[in-house]
Structure formats: C-alpha cells, structure tokens
Amino acid sequence: MITPTGKGPSPITEGPQCQAEVDPLAVLRAPDDPPWDVYLTGTVFLDIIFTGLDSAPVRGTESWARGMGSSPGGVANMATALARLGLKTSLAAAFGDDHYGEYCWDALEQGEHIDLSTSRTVPGWHSPVTVSMAYEGERTMVSHGHEPPVEAVLDPSGTPGGTPRARAAVASLTPGRSAPWIARAAERGTRVFADVGWDDTDTWDLAGLPDLQHCEAFLPNAEEAMRYTGATCPRAAAHALTEHVPLAVVTLGAEGAYAVDRRTGETAEVPAIAVEALDPTGAGDVFVAGFVTGTLAGWPLADRLAFAGLTAALSVQEFGGSLSAPGWSEIAAWWREVQSVRGQDPAALRRYAFLQALVPEEEARPWPLRRAVPTIGFRSA
C-alpha cells in the first residue's frame, strides 16, 4: 500500500488554475483524427460549496462555515476532469442566461479550455444550483432547478449527426430511458464509456439500460453491479456484466477496483490508495476520466485502473466537484513525493512506475498543492 503524504490543500487558497501540461495521446495523434477526444452532454449546475463545518447542520440552528467556494458542477465535473488530464473535451449543455450561467460558461470555456460550441444559452431559463456542505469526509447537498425548454434539449449537440466526431464519449445511463445520441455516436465509431445512477425504481434490470448495448465499457460501483447481475460478490458481478458489454469495471470503494475485458480475457485488480477524504464529491467522475484517458492512450488494463484510482484519491483530498479534479502537476507532485518517503512498499511503487514517463520533467511544486477556488461577485478592474 502506498503511504500518502500530508493532507489535502486548504479549501480556499490562492494561485493559478492547473492546466494540462501533458498530452497523453500525443504519440497517437494523426491529421485525420476526430477533432475531439471526448464528447459528453448533460446538465451543468452552479455548485456552491461550504467547507470547514464541524458537523452536520442542526435543525433550528445557524451554522457558520469557515470557507466557501463555487464552481460549475453536474456534468461539468466530468468535463473538467477530462480536460485537466489533457484530453480535448467537447461539452453540449444548456446554460441559463443569468449570471450563474455566464459564470459557468466562462469558467469552463476560458478556465478549463473545454469546447462549448455545441452548447447553448437558453433565454429566460435560470441555472440549476446545488449547495454542498462538506464535513467529516462526507457531504450533504441541496439542489434546485427546472427542466430547460424542450427545444433546448431535443438535440443538445446542435450538430446534424447528433454528436460531433470524437474518439470517445462518456454517458450516464438512466434506468428506463434511452438517449438516442449514444447509438448515433457508437455508429460513427465513438467509443462510449458509461456509468449509471442509483435505480430509484428498485428494479435493477439490465434490460432497462437499452443503451448499454452500444457501450464499450460500463463502470458501476460494487453495489450497483451486484444488484444488476444478482451476483453475491462484485468480482463475479464484473464477469457477469461482460455478457452485456465488452469491458466491465467495478469500483470497490476502499478496496480499489476490478476490471474484466471480454475481448482479451484480461482481468485486473488494483487496491485503493489510502487517503484522508475531505470531500468525495466528483470522485466517481474523476475515476471515469482517468480510466478513459488510459484507455484512449492504449495503456494496459492494470495501469488504467491504477491511474483512475490515483486521480480519484487525489480528488477527495480537496473540496468541491470540478474544483478537486487533479491535473498533471498534482499527479507529478504526488509521484515524486511518495518516492521520497522512506519505508514505501517497493511493489506498490512499481505499480505506478508507468507515471515516470508521463509526468512533466520540470521540478514539481511542493506537496500538497494549492489551487484557487473561484468565487462569484468580483469585478475586473
């Protein structure tokens, strides 16, 4: 087991946003490639995060938080995680024409360099909002929003074929619903990676996920995988899922992750990195982003799992969803720091040795790293 060093950074700090210093697909790029590495669509929320709470809010009392930040949330968590890992990311979403929507648009397009050419601003529609309160390694969220007008979501990509050309797409499957863009993307050669939300109907029927047949990979957590397959252990569930999708990845919480590739017969299991979790918001999105990155780069299955687990572990040491997504500076700093700590398990270090050829060569910044938390309200000079 890798021994982590230090705690996560302070929730409100100063410094520039981390930008991608590494192109993980550099050696694979060719002139006739799709314009985007990853396409995704969904709802963008404005996330307002309160940090530094000593406990959960108590009914009838007022709680004061020692810190507060704001950032785009919802599908923006996944888009930001992908972009910070160096993937050319295109997001199709509806944005409100209020200040919140303008802030989220600017934060994603200007701050994270995410393509929003297939997104749109919807007149008269206000942005969905989530307030998140982080305490004791957990979080409580309250959200508010309205469905955007029908004309704003009929074709969220705004392109004739339904989606822009991309190497991959990330989809969140909804039990009992089909999203036509997923089949269209797969028909055009896009590799679709899917996760799933909790089945509120308690049906847990894979037939209720019709778009799974168009997916390259399915990444549920252990509880979801076992409920969908009826298996009594998550590893057996992963094998059962490969009857429906070529690649099954089951996250095991503190135990790590397990994956089965039906096409090659390969299996892999990588333990989790033990860290002090400050806020788990967005960790699942970061895990998927890390796995997509490694898959598109052609890494071995075990390396993909290790990288996904590492990025997720780094993310839970910061507060917020998209705010916590690590970039290559964070990854490089972690890799150099853990190698310098005496008593590390040599076998555990070898598990992450593939990072040596990837991380930036310049001297890493001190660990733990600190990143700015954007706040709404300040005006430019």
Side-chain angles (χ1 to χ4, degrees):
M1 176 68 69
I2 290 284
T3 301
T5 58
K7 297 182 179 180
S10 170
I12 295 184
T13 56
E14 297 180 356
Q17 284 287 87
C18 174
Q19 302 297 335
E21 298 88 359
V22 174
D23 179 359
L25 308 185
V27 299
L28 302 176
R29 299 198 184 279
D32 59 347
D33 281 347
W36 308 112
D37 296 325
V38 187
Y39 165 82
L40 66 166
T41 184
T43 303
V44 173
F45 286 73
L46 170 70
D47 282 356
I48 299 174
I49 306 105
F50 290 103
T51 66
L53 289 165
D54 295 321
S55 63
V58 178
R59 180 178 179 180
T61 67
E62 181 179 17
S63 299
W64 278 83
R66 290 186 290 274
M68 189 195 83
S70 55
S71 66
V75 71
N77 293 340
M78 180 75 74
T80 300
L82 292 162
R84 288 186 181 173
L85 293 178
L87 298 185
K88 299 176 181 178
T89 303
S90 180
L91 169 64
F95 289 78
D97 65 347
D98 50 15
H99 290 306
Y100 291 170
E102 180 182 4
Y103 165 79
C104 289
W105 186 293
D106 289 346
L108 294 172
E109 185 178 59
Q110 303 299 323
E112 306 295 345
H113 305 290
I114 294 168
D115 169 64
L116 299 179
S117 61
T118 56
S119 293
R120 63 187 68 180
T121 298
V122 182
W125 181 61
H126 72 74
S127 302
V129 176
T130 292
V131 174
S132 176
M133 292 161 280
Y135 53 88
E136 299 175 353
E138 272 297 340
R139 83 283 198 201
T140 298
M141 296 182 288
V142 178
S143 297
H144 172 73
H146 301 282
E147 291 290 331
V150 173
E151 61 271 18
V153 296
L154 286 177
D155 181 10
S157 73
T159 60
T163 63
R165 289 180 60 235
R167 298 174 189 263
V170 177
S172 183
L173 305 183
T174 302
R177 295 185 186 178
S178 179
W181 74 265
I182 295 176
R184 293 198 298 265
E187 289 170 359
R188 299 178 69 178
T190 297
R191 304 164 72 179
V192 182
F193 296 75
D195 61 12
V196 68
W198 190 257
D199 187 352
D200 292 327
T201 69
D202 205 31
T203 304
W204 300 102
D205 183 3
L206 285 170
L209 302 176
D211 292 325
L212 191 60
Q213 63 181 310
H214 306 298
C215 297
E216 161 106 357
F218 186 40
L219 299 93
N221 64 34
E223 183 68 18
E224 293 160 349
M226 290 188 290
R227 285 177 178 263
Y228 272 117
T229 61
T232 57
C233 84
R235 293 161 186 81
H239 285 273
L241 286 172
T242 59
E243 298 177 10
H244 305 271
V245 66
L247 178 57
V249 181
V250 176
T251 54
L252 309 175
E255 294 183 41
Y258 182 80
V260 183
D261 190 329
R262 184 186 69 205
R263 291 171 177 163
T264 64
E266 186 180 9
T267 64
E269 182 168 1
V270 174
I273 298 173
V275 296
E276 180 181 349
L278 298 182
D279 184 0
T281 304
D285 294 324
V286 172
F287 182 94
V288 174
F291 190 81
V292 170
T293 299
T295 301
L296 294 184
W299 300 349
L301 186 58
D303 288 356
R304 287 180 263 166
L305 279 187
F307 186 72
L310 168 60
T311 54
L314 293 176
S315 78
V316 301
Q317 296 181 83
E318 289 198 56
F319 289 100
S322 63
L323 289 174
S324 68
W328 285 100
S329 286
E330 284 87 346
I331 294 166
W334 176 86
W335 174 235
R336 293 189 172 100
E337 181 70 12
V338 295
Q339 291 180 88
S340 69
V341 177
R342 292 183 179 181
Q344 295 284 18
D345 180 359
L349 286 175
R350 286 195 296 272
R351 171 63 271 158
Y352 296 89
F354 67 93
L355 292 174
Q356 192 63 47
L358 292 167
V359 297
E361 294 182 0
E362 66 269 14
E363 186 68 23
R365 289 179 281 164
W367 176 266
L369 297 177
R370 298 180 183 274
R371 179 187 293 130
V373 175
T375 301
I376 297 173
F378 294 120
R379 295 184 181 275
S380 301

